[in-house]
């Protein structure tokens, strides 16, 4: 255990070194998180349509959205299947399922995709992949 005592300069030095090491560790974590955030690229209108048409957006376990080339979408969510429509409007991906429409900014890094609310308060993350056979 390290204790800091006013009359013991040696332990204070050890304490300062420990605190500096911890601060350096936190700065590395912050830099790595910033680097990871930088790997995502914001997609624009035509790019969104080109990437999503004919593909599945999924977490590969609980849910999947199958994006038809004709603007139809089939949502599979925990055993439930719902149909809807999708389109690109004002540079955002808009999805309408069960009388509810939500539009998202689309961010991509290889096959990883984030659908973000325009105000940035929420995002859904999954992967884009070729369609899977489903029941």
């Amino acid at each position: 255990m390290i204790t800091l005592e006013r009359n013991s300069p040696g332990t204070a030095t050890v304490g300062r070194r420990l605190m500096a090491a911890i601060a350096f560790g936190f700065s590395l974590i912050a830099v790595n998180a910033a680097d990871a955030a930088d790997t995502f690229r914001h997609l624009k209108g035509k790019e969104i349509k080109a990437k999503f048409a004919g593909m599945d957006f999924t977490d590969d376990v609980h849910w999947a959205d199958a994006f038809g080339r004709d603007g139809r979408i089939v949502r599979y969510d925990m055993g439930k299947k719902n149909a809807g429509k999708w389109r690109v409007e004002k540079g955002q991906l808009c999805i309408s399922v069960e009388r509810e429409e939500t539009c998202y900014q689309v961010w991509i890094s290889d096959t990883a995709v984030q659908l973000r609310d325009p105000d940035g308060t929420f995002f859904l993350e999954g992967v884009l992949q070729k369609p899977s056979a489903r029941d």
Side-chain angles (χ1 to χ4, degrees), residues 8 13 22 30 42 51 57:
S8 177
T13 302
I22 290 170
H42 186 196
K51 289 282 186 188
F57 174 60

Side-chain angles (χ1 to χ4, degrees), residues 28-103:
L28 285 179
I29 291 169
V31 168
N32 287 338
D35 288 344
D38 289 342
T39 63
F40 279 85
R41 182 175 66 86
H42 186 196
L43 294 184
K44 304 297 180 188
K46 289 182 179 181
E47 293 177 297
I48 295 169
K49 189 168 186 175
K51 289 282 186 188
F52 278 78
M55 299 292 280
D56 285 358
F57 174 60
T58 179
D59 74 347
D60 215 18
V61 177
H62 304 99
W63 55 266
D65 286 346
F67 288 83
R69 294 188 182 280
D70 60 357
R72 294 182 189 166
I73 187 171
V74 179
R75 176 167 286 166
Y76 302 90
D77 189 7
M78 299 295 290
K80 292 182 181 179
K81 179 180 173 181
N82 290 301
K85 295 183 179 191
W86 72 278
R87 70 182 191 291
V88 176
E89 185 175 298
K90 297 180 183 175
Q92 296 182 349
L93 174 64
C94 298
I95 302 171
S96 300
V97 177
E98 292 185 340
R99 294 183 224 153
E100 185 176 316
E101 180 173 277
T102 308
C103 295

